[in-house]
Amino acid sequence: MGDRAGITLESDYVFRKTMMTKSFFLTSCVTSGRSARMDEHGIVARPGRGLARNRVLGRPAPLGLAFLLTASVSLSAFAADPDVVRPYQKRAHSQARAHPVRRAASSPAAESISLKDETIQVSASRFRSHGAEAMVTRHVMDQFVSGTSPLKILSATTPGVTFASDDAFGLDTAANTLYIRGFDQSQIAGTLDGIPMGDQGFLQYNGLSVDQAAIQDNIVAMSVSQGGGAVDVPSLQNLGGAIQFHTADPDDRMGGRATQMFGSNNAVRTFVRLDSGKLNASGTKFFVSMARTDNDKWKGYGSQLEEQVNAKLEQPVGDIGTITALFNWSSFRQFNYLNIDMNMFRTFGTSLDYLYPNYAVAYNAALGIYPAAYQALGNASDEANATYLDGAQTQENDIMGLIGDFHLTSRLSSKTILYSQLSNGDYEATQPFASPNGAPFAQVDGKPDMRRIGFTEALTYEIGRNVAKTGTWYENNSFSFPNYLYQQPLLGEGPPRNPLGPFHDPFAEELDDRFNSNTFQYYLQDTYEIFRNLHIAAGFRSVLQTTYGGAKQNDPDLTGQDALPDGSLTASNAFLPHFSINYRINPYNELYLDIAENMRAYTYNPWFLGNGGAWSVGNQQQFLENRNDIKPERTWNYVIGYRYGSRAVDVTADIYHVDYYNRLLNTEAGSPLQPISTFVNAGREEVNGGDASVTIRPVAGLEILNTASYTDAEYRGDINYEGANVSLKGKNQVAYPRFIYKANASYTYGTFQVNFNATYTGRRPLSYVNDVYVPSYWVAGLSGTYGFGRIGFAQHVQVSFGVTNLFNSAYIGGLGISGFPVSGDYPTLFIGAPRQYFGTVSAQF
């Protein structure tokens, strides 16, 4: 695994001159003049073919293996895991292959040798993706506005990935929409430092979005599997691929860094990180960091505030491994944007939003008295949906992890992760439930509460030409969502309730959905080296998830249902195979093949949530009928690709095919805040597509990337909707475009860098029968950075300026919060943010 083709990593390694030997140790795997390349184990070079063995500089190294530059060398920095081999650790070749991961240093791929006196700076250049996987590095992330969602950066830089939201940073989880080759965020695995994070969507029930789980500045790399995803990724939702986020380790030296950003809509973002450096001879070190992002909505009333704290402690255990403890906390308080339909977009453009704090207009609208401007919508349903008073959310999250990474023998290594997550919040909206005092609406607040605890255990054993991996994952998740109603005042008797609370004295409990799930996964894989440049991997995973739950409380007068769904479902499969081949023809050309079968466990979520899964159907009887008929979704993923890399040009091209079985759909109708869901099996879906990427570096400092992606995702079956058969055969998958084009150009001259990126997203079907489409759009961004070096006690002082949505496009960004209709229009869309400006100052000390 490595960086996506064409991405440049420019992290600095610092090697200090020893006073004892007056020699340097060059210990990274360096090739003569070209980027070092990794095999599938993450090892840069082989013995006798480039593996540096702690040679003292000045002694002759074999020609073509390593050489010293006074300023920079080309090297590969990351393996599939963000960790790298410790540069000063002597190991036999067999041990090196068995243990390709050791803790990464604070620099995006480096560890410094803590010696004295002089330093030399070693700059890393490009490194390559591997097989059906790609990586985006810290260097690339730094080209975007400070605090930008990693998912948004991933979309702008990686073929086949598309992300959209309604705010400039991409932090509004209510609007965020992520797809990888037709699979949305609920069908893609996500991990943070190996901890399973569930899907990356709104109102998480089995994990947490990366934006709430980690401070963006602490993420050093994102690895993306665009095939079936590795068998060792802990997930029971990945039908197509995985995203693994890796955070920085504490620095070896005491110090810190700070970033301050200002921008449009009173945006202010502060990031501060303090590193202890090595505290004792054993190497104990830690860091503590905080980030605060606050900005007003770009339309309507309210602000969106995110506060986060990340801490990590690393304790080496002699020469056998490392224990790492991490703690991540976040608090989000957001006024939401109004979700709309295409009729509202065509009528009002980008201006429509919640009415809060205009209580009188919303109050009268709840009585059916709409302002003249809203009557232009032409139908009562849109008039009602366009005049909601408010919508908001708060959330607080704690993630704790303990990671033990040990090489037990010369052949056997172990990695154990213990983790837990606590999350709770309030999800608020004013809906047309009559308050006891006679007000025509009430404030409704859902209070999600999640308690996750689990562990993963991974073993790697090497013998001969084989690298065998096996491991397990277990998790228990308790999730509840009670929904309460609070009285709003009569018109003229006071202001409306604050959408962000506090919430007290409810007059009714509409429902209380509770779920408890137990998840187990086992995997086994062997990678066999046929030749030095030809590797074949074969493995499988066994999965099991049982979920008990549903409605424990139901008020029929409010839900309209005598009995809401309640019961258990089990998803299991004893053999999900994964097969891959990687053939490195020569240092420039690579061929790869990836084939995998995956299964997704049943989604569980509140009854009224669009796309809520098996428990979001209309009544208990329908749930019982579905339990006998539905089966877990299953896919076969096939990817074949080619990669070429040189100093001047990088080219990647692949084609893929997906056979999708038991395609489960939530069809939605009615109010977007109280949708009527039908959970149906649409049979098969077939996906065919291809990605192509070309990066050129025509002159020093200039890099130009162009990517194009084409996907034909079509349903192959029929569904039963409201007692009638609806054919979906030949209809395109909702919400996903057929064509995506991306361009990215960056130029570096000295300490100055400028970056331009643009993305074209084709039109997307809104309904399952494809009778309504969301139009295509372009969106672009521009950023520039200038470094001043040292100013006083501050080092690496730099300023940057960024513009998002450079050409001020009016477009639909995220979609799907309320699900999708079988036919027609539906208010499940979010408008993308207009052009915005941001400036940032950062420094290290």
Side-chain angles (χ1 to χ4, degrees):
M1 183 188 306
D3 189 18
R4 85 177 157 77
I7 291 300
T8 302
L9 177 67
E10 304 216 359
S11 26
D12 291 332
Y13 288 23
V14 179
F15 294 86
R16 295 191 175 276
K17 189 174 184 179
T18 173
M19 300 295 293
M20 299 176 61
T21 63
K22 298 182 181 180
S23 299
F24 292 96
F25 286 93
L26 179 61
T27 54
S28 297
C29 304
V30 182
T31 59
S32 57
R34 296 190 178 93
S35 299
R37 301 172 185 273
M38 293 177 293
D39 64 16
E40 78 282 7
H41 311 301
I43 298 305
V44 180
R46 306 300 302 270
R49 296 181 182 270
L51 182 62
R53 290 178 172 271
N54 296 339
R55 295 188 181 275
V56 177
L57 299 187
R59 294 175 60 184
L63 182 63
L65 297 185
F67 66 95
L68 172 65
L69 295 179
T70 59
S72 65
V73 295
S74 287
L75 54 89
S76 285
F78 280 103
D81 194 295
D83 307 324
V84 295
V85 178
R86 288 193 182 278
Y88 47 81
Q89 184 176 17
K90 291 184 178 181
R91 294 188 297 174
H93 166 57
S94 61
Q95 183 181 357
R97 287 185 60 209
H99 309 292
V101 293
R102 297 289 169 260
R103 308 310 305 162
S106 57
S107 174
E111 183 160 346
S112 61
I113 300 181
S114 183
L115 304 173
K116 295 181 179 181
D117 203 16
E118 303 174 16
T119 65
I120 54 172
Q121 298 293 330
V122 186
S123 299
S125 68
R126 296 172 289 112
F127 61 92
R128 307 299 178 196
S129 300
H130 179 81
E133 297 183 327
M135 183 177 283
V136 175
T137 66
R138 181 73 248 170
H139 169 74
V140 178
M141 298 175 71
D142 286 338
Q143 296 175 4
F144 291 78
V145 171
S146 173
T148 298
S149 168
L151 300 178
K152 183 176 181 179
I153 297 172
L154 195 66
S155 173
T157 58
T158 309
V161 180
T162 177
F163 174 85
S165 188
D166 58 7
D167 70 301
F169 299 104
L171 299 178
D172 188 351
T173 58
N176 289 358
T177 303
L178 172 72
Y179 280 88
I180 298 180
R181 293 179 171 176
F183 296 100
D184 67 30
Q185 58 259 51
S186 70
Q187 302 164 326
I188 301 165
T191 67
L192 177 70
D193 291 333
I195 298 174
M197 300 306 297
D199 69 46
Q200 296 294 294
F202 174 63
L203 211 169
Q204 270 274 32
Y205 65 96
N206 67 347
L208 194 64
S209 167
V210 65
D211 298 313
Q212 298 167 309
I215 299 174
Q216 191 258 38
D217 308 69
N218 289 328
I219 297 175
V220 294
M222 302 178 283
S223 58
V224 186
S225 169
Q226 296 178 308
V231 295
D232 59 349
V233 175
S235 173
L236 252 68
Q237 67 187 55
N238 59 312
L239 289 172
I243 306 175
Q244 300 184 69
F245 303 95
H246 311 294
T247 62
D249 285 340
D251 287 350
D252 286 345
R253 300 176 61 187
M254 179 184 294
R257 63 202 69 177
T259 300
Q260 183 63 59
M261 182 270 287
F262 300 94
S264 299
N265 304 306
N266 299 314
V268 179
R269 182 180 189 272
T270 304
F271 169 74
V272 177
R273 170 170 158 164
L274 301 176
D275 282 85
S276 69
K278 290 187 176 181
L279 299 174
N280 50 42
S282 69
T284 306
K285 56 183 178 177
F286 69 87
F287 76 76
V288 178
S289 60
M290 64 78 63
R292 186 180 189 274
T293 305
D294 190 11
N295 63 293
D296 293 337
K297 291 172 57 180
W298 58 267
K299 64 175 179 177
Y301 177 88
S303 63
Q304 297 190 323
L305 171 66
E306 298 88 30
E307 297 175 302
Q308 297 173 278
V309 173
N310 290 176
K312 182 182 282 190
L313 182 146
E314 183 179 283
Q315 176 61 61
V317 182
D319 292 330
I320 66 170
T322 305
I323 296 176
T324 303
L326 61 87
F327 172 77
N328 297 340
W329 171 86
S330 66
S331 174
F332 277 43
R333 297 174 60 84
Q334 298 179 328
F335 283 80
N336 292 331
Y337 293 91
L338 177 68
N339 45 298
I340 66 171
D341 62 20
M342 284 305 303
N343 183 35
M344 299 179 199
F345 182 58
R346 287 188 291 263
T347 303
F348 288 96
T350 62
S351 63
L352 197 62
D353 199 22
Y354 287 112
L355 293 172
Y356 188 90
N358 195 336
Y359 192 57
V361 173
Y363 192 98
N364 289 322
L367 295 171
I369 306 171
Y370 303 107
Y374 289 86
Q375 295 176 20
L377 291 169
N379 65 80
S381 176
D382 278 357
E383 290 169 355
N385 292 327
T387 52
Y388 278 107
L389 175 64
D390 55 37
Q393 67 189 68
T394 67
Q395 189 171 351
E396 186 167 316
N397 313 284
D398 298 286
I399 298 175
M400 292 150 281
L402 188 64
I403 304 171
D405 194 352
F406 300 100
H407 35 281
L408 305 177
T409 71
S410 62
R411 297 184 180 275
L412 179 64
S413 64
S414 168
K415 187 168 187 177
T416 304
I417 301 176
L418 307 176
Y419 67 90
S420 67
Q421 177 190 340
L422 309 175
S423 294
N424 58 74
D426 293 278
Y427 288 73
E428 180 273 348
T430 296
Q431 298 185 26
F433 294 114
S435 291
N437 63 355
F441 47 24
Q443 186 180 53
V444 179
D445 178 55
K447 295 180 176 295
D449 186 271
M450 188 194 314
R451 299 288 186 269
R452 280 200 310 150
I453 186 169
F455 73 88
T456 68
E457 173 62 39
L459 297 172
T460 301
Y461 184 76
E462 179 179 5
I463 182 170
R465 296 191 175 196
N466 295 272
V467 177
K469 296 182 178 182
T470 187
T472 60
W473 167 46
Y474 171 76
E475 177 180 289
N476 176 263
N477 181 21
S478 176
F479 174 74
S480 66
F481 195 100
N483 212 42
Y484 297 98
L485 275 65
Y486 302 82
Q487 181 171 272
Q488 289 281 23
L490 292 171
L491 189 62
E493 293 187 356
R497 287 177 175 264
N498 189 323
L500 296 179
F503 301 96
H504 53 79
D505 301 326
F507 69 81
E509 182 179 11
E510 180 187 11
L511 57 87
D512 185 1
D513 279 358
R514 300 180 189 177
F515 302 92
N516 189 279
S517 68
N518 287 285
T519 302
F520 176 80
Q521 174 177 291
Y522 168 78
Y523 70 87
L524 176 65
Q525 177 179 282
D526 180 63
T527 302
Y528 179 67
E529 181 186 84
I530 300 176
F531 302 109
R532 183 181 61 85
N533 57 347
L534 178 61
H535 299 84
I536 182 171
F540 73 95
R541 61 188 183 122
S542 300
V543 297
L544 171 68
Q545 184 179 93
T546 299
T547 303
Y548 303 88
K552 307 306 177 185
Q553 161 67 25
N554 173 45
D555 188 333
D557 293 334
L558 297 174
T559 64
Q561 302 293 336
D562 292 333
L564 292 180
D566 183 31
S568 65
L569 285 173
T570 296
S572 64
N573 196 310
F575 186 75
L576 294 170
H578 191 140
F579 175 82
S580 64
I581 299 176
N582 183 266
Y583 178 38
R584 184 160 292 145
I585 303 170
N586 54 41
Y588 305 100
N589 295 274
E590 177 187 13
L591 291 173
Y592 55 89
L593 170 71
D594 192 88
I595 302 173
E597 182 184 15
N598 284 327
M599 187 200 76
R600 180 180 182 232
Y602 297 111
T603 304
Y604 49 96
N605 229 320
W607 163 75
F608 58 86
L609 185 70
N611 285 335
W615 283 267
S616 66
V617 296
N619 53 61
Q620 177 69 7
Q621 182 60 36
Q622 187 177 353
F623 174 81
L624 294 176
E625 292 176 359
N626 282 347
R627 187 166 64 176
N628 296 326
D629 297 335
I630 63 174
K631 298 178 181 179
E633 293 178 296
R634 191 168 53 86
T635 60
W636 275 96
N637 296 269
Y638 307 86
V639 179
I640 184 170
Y642 165 78
R643 182 175 291 111
Y644 172 84
S646 69
R647 287 181 175 274
V649 179
D650 289 310
V651 178
T652 63
D654 56 26
I655 57 174
Y656 55 91
H657 171 82
V658 179
D659 286 318
Y660 205 139
Y661 301 95
N662 305 314
R663 187 65 158 100
L664 301 179
L665 306 176
N666 272 107
T667 61
E668 312 296 341
S671 164
L673 296 177
Q674 290 283 327
I676 301 171
S677 297
T678 303
F679 192 67
V680 294
N681 189 332
R684 288 190 61 239
E685 180 180 347
E686 186 175 302
V687 182
N688 295 286
D691 295 325
S693 172
V694 178
T695 301
I696 61 172
R697 287 168 286 275
V699 297
L702 177 62
E703 182 171 281
I704 302 172
L705 164 73
N706 285 272
T707 77
S709 302
Y710 176 82
T711 302
D712 181 21
E714 295 184 352
Y715 303 114
R716 295 299 186 190
D718 300 342
I719 62 172
N720 185 285
Y721 180 69
E722 295 184 344
N725 184 73
V726 178
S727 175
L728 298 184
K729 187 174 183 179
K731 303 298 183 182
N732 293 118
Q733 178 183 309
V734 294
Y736 195 72
R738 277 179 175 260
F739 185 73
I740 304 171
Y741 169 76
K742 301 174 186 178
N744 193 308
S746 63
Y747 179 70
T748 301
Y749 182 80
T751 61
F752 171 75
Q753 183 182 68
V754 63
N755 176 266
F756 170 81
N757 61 82
T759 299
Y760 170 80
T761 302
R763 67 173 189 163
R764 295 163 286 174
L766 175 60
S767 64
Y768 287 108
V769 298
N770 297 173
D771 58 349
V772 177
Y773 278 82
V774 174
S776 59
Y777 66 94
W778 281 92
V779 66
L782 179 68
S783 64
T785 299
Y786 182 78
F788 292 92
R790 178 187 291 271
I791 300 179
F793 69 91
Q795 306 175 41
H796 304 293
V797 177
Q798 66 177 28
V799 296
S800 61
F801 180 76
V803 184
T804 60
N805 195 358
L806 179 64
F807 303 117
N808 204 29
S809 301
Y811 68 97
I812 298 296
L815 69 169
I817 186 174
S818 300
F820 300 96
V822 172
S823 177
D825 206 355
Y826 198 62
T828 192
L829 315 173
F830 289 94
I831 298 172
R835 180 169 51 230
Q836 309 216 318
Y837 304 90
F838 303 93
T840 304
V841 179
S842 63
Q844 299 180 21
F845 54 90

